[in-house]
Amino acid sequence: MMLQKFYPDETIESTYGIDFLALYEEGYRGVIFDIDNTLVPHGAPAEEKSIALFETLRSIGFHHMLLSNNKEPRVKSFADAVKSEYIYKAGKPGIKNYNKAMERMGTTTDNTLFVGDQLFTDVYGAKRAGIRNILVSPIHPKEEIQIVLKRYLERIVLRSYEKQKAKEK
């Protein structure tokens, strides 16, 4: 079915509920994150829990990178707070900067994960780049109009995804 190219590899309620230690033990070494509505509400500064998450990732041994379609001032201020490298104006779902992120982390498609909150940019781009992806629920419902419209279409895809999952069980 055509919608399958947008299906996430897995879904979880929150980035903060992901078991990164288990993923490291599975052999993953790099994590690429979207920022807005994945780590913090849209436009919000880094919070204590996001700073703590990146400290945990470093202590486990993960390389990490922020990959955002947002402009540099937004991305840099967040990246500085969590002490992570970043790529701004990433052009997701284009794959060029997913590949650049892996190159900068020294990881490959086999040992890199992507975590994001949008199907048509984050998940679709990661799938096109050959990276395992995890779709998280958006942190905050208040979003720009173009994202609100995309969310409506995402619900259609996610209903199809849920039906597919139910059939497989």
Side-chain angles (χ1 to χ4, degrees):
M1 183 174 186
M2 198 183 106
L3 296 179
Q4 284 172 321
K5 66 183 173 195
F6 300 111
Y7 289 0
D9 292 331
E10 59 196 278
T11 58
I12 189 167
E13 189 59 34
S14 166
T15 301
Y16 301 99
I18 297 171
D19 187 345
F20 287 103
L21 185 57
L23 290 165
Y24 191 85
E25 287 167 355
E26 279 180 44
Y28 289 94
R29 294 298 179 262
V31 190
I32 305 170
F33 290 99
D34 174 50
I35 300 171
D36 289 314
N37 259 338
T38 297
L39 293 164
V40 291
H42 194 88
E47 303 167 341
E48 275 180 44
K49 72 178 177 182
S50 32
I51 293 166
L53 172 66
F54 281 81
E55 285 171 3
T56 299
L57 291 170
R58 279 189 288 279
S59 72
I60 292 171
F62 266 110
H63 298 279
H64 44 79
M65 180 75 66
L66 299 169
L67 189 66
S68 174
N69 284 347
N70 219 316
K71 295 181 183 85
E72 188 170 26
R74 161 67 181 142
V75 181
K76 183 182 186 324
S77 66
F78 188 90
D80 288 350
V82 299
K83 298 181 180 75
S84 182
E85 283 193 72
Y86 64 91
I87 297 171
Y88 65 96
K89 284 189 169 175
K92 295 178 288 184
I95 64 170
K96 182 180 103 186
N97 285 313
Y98 289 85
N99 291 329
K100 186 176 176 183
M102 287 185 285
E103 192 179 303
R104 283 171 52 186
M105 292 189 298
T107 61
T108 66
T109 54
D110 294 331
N111 64 6
T112 304
L113 299 160
F114 184 90
V115 180
D117 70 305
Q118 291 190 49
L119 283 178
F120 302 129
T121 50
D122 299 331
V123 168
Y124 183 50
K127 284 182 93 76
R128 290 178 64 217
I131 303 169
R132 179 175 169 188
N133 57 80
I134 301 172
L135 178 71
V136 296
S137 298
I139 292 173
H140 196 276
K142 185 181 174 293
E143 296 181 297
E144 297 163 358
I145 188 64
Q146 70 272 19
I147 296 174
V148 171
L149 296 172
K150 277 196 271 185
R151 294 283 184 214
Y152 177 75
L153 296 171
E154 283 182 355
R155 280 197 292 275
I156 295 166
V157 175
L158 286 170
R159 267 198 298 274
S160 170
Y161 168 76
E162 296 300 336
K163 280 183 191 161
Q164 180 73 38
K165 281 280 183 231
K167 268 188 216 161
E168 288 170 9
K169 282 183 181 168

